[in-house]
Amino acid sequence: MNDQRLIPLSALQHYVFCPRQCALIHNEQVWAENFLTAQGQLLHQRVDGGEPETRKGILYERSVSVAVSKLGLTGKLDLVERELTTGNVVPVEYKRGKPKIEDCDRIQLCAQGLCLEEMMDRTVSHGALWYWQTRHREVIQFDQPLRQKTLQVISEVRSLFDDGKTPRAKFDKKCKACSLLDICNPQIISNDKTRAYVETLFKLGEHDNEEITK
């Protein structure tokens, strides 16, 4: 494994939801809890606490750690289902809410499948998302468009990590569900004209220096 910084699987979900949130959490190490994140933490504690078990020819392994060098990813999978007769594996991710229109959950799950493929040297064709709010299990096929989109997000997060810069705030309706809302202050920062004012001062200063040297 090389010296590159491994990307947490959760960072992919954070990035698709909001690149600024991803940078605040993973570059600036900022975190805050709200009701939604607390529910999510409780759900994962319940899921991760179980021991491996076998039922009807399927081995259920919980809290499975992964780390792969080719993709540069690391993380912990909620559940991996392994068919004992075929060896096929299915990653299962537990979410507190309900299915989303955005691809953030599907991309995170697909990345889990790609990690298992690299570690096991076999194809992982699909995974599943289980939503607490709806008590519904959604099967996600890892087709080529989703794989390409996932690889693109991994590349963009890698660039975000390497660059080390936090994207500027931009208020959106989804900000209300973000635990970092009070820290990010998107409605304030996005309207802040301080940076433009300072840049104008520097430009005026450079112009004055040019006049003096003439």
Side-chain angles (χ1 to χ4, degrees), residues 160-204:
L160 182 74
F161 280 15
D162 291 344
D163 182 63
K165 295 181 181 179
T166 300
R168 290 179 62 84
K170 182 179 180 181
F171 183 75
D172 190 273
K173 61 181 181 180
K174 64 185 177 182
C175 293
K176 297 178 181 179
C178 180
S179 65
L180 303 183
L181 176 62
D182 292 337
I183 298 172
C184 178
N185 288 318
Q187 287 179 296
I188 297 175
I189 296 176
S190 60
N191 293 321
D192 186 8
K193 303 299 189 297
T194 304
R195 181 175 180 178
Y197 174 71
V198 172
E199 290 177 350
T200 300
L201 290 179
F202 274 106
K203 289 179 180 179
L204 290 174

Side-chain angles (χ1 to χ4, degrees), residues 129-165:
L129 294 166
W130 192 90
Y131 289 95
W132 179 265
Q133 187 172 330
T134 60
R135 301 295 199 277
H136 173 70
R137 176 172 171 137
E138 180 181 1
V139 176
I140 305 298
Q141 298 295 329
F142 299 150
D143 56 21
Q144 197 59 31
L146 181 57
R147 287 170 179 265
Q148 288 298 326
K149 189 176 294 186
T150 301
L151 292 173
Q152 179 62 34
V153 169
I154 294 172
S155 176
E156 291 175 8
V157 173
R158 168 66 57 204
S159 297
L160 182 74
F161 280 15
D162 291 344
D163 182 63
K165 295 181 181 179

Side-chain angles (χ1 to χ4, degrees), residues 107-118:
I107 285 174
Q108 183 183 8
L109 181 68
C110 184
Q112 294 180 7
L114 295 177
C115 286
L116 291 173
E117 287 185 341
E118 184 174 337

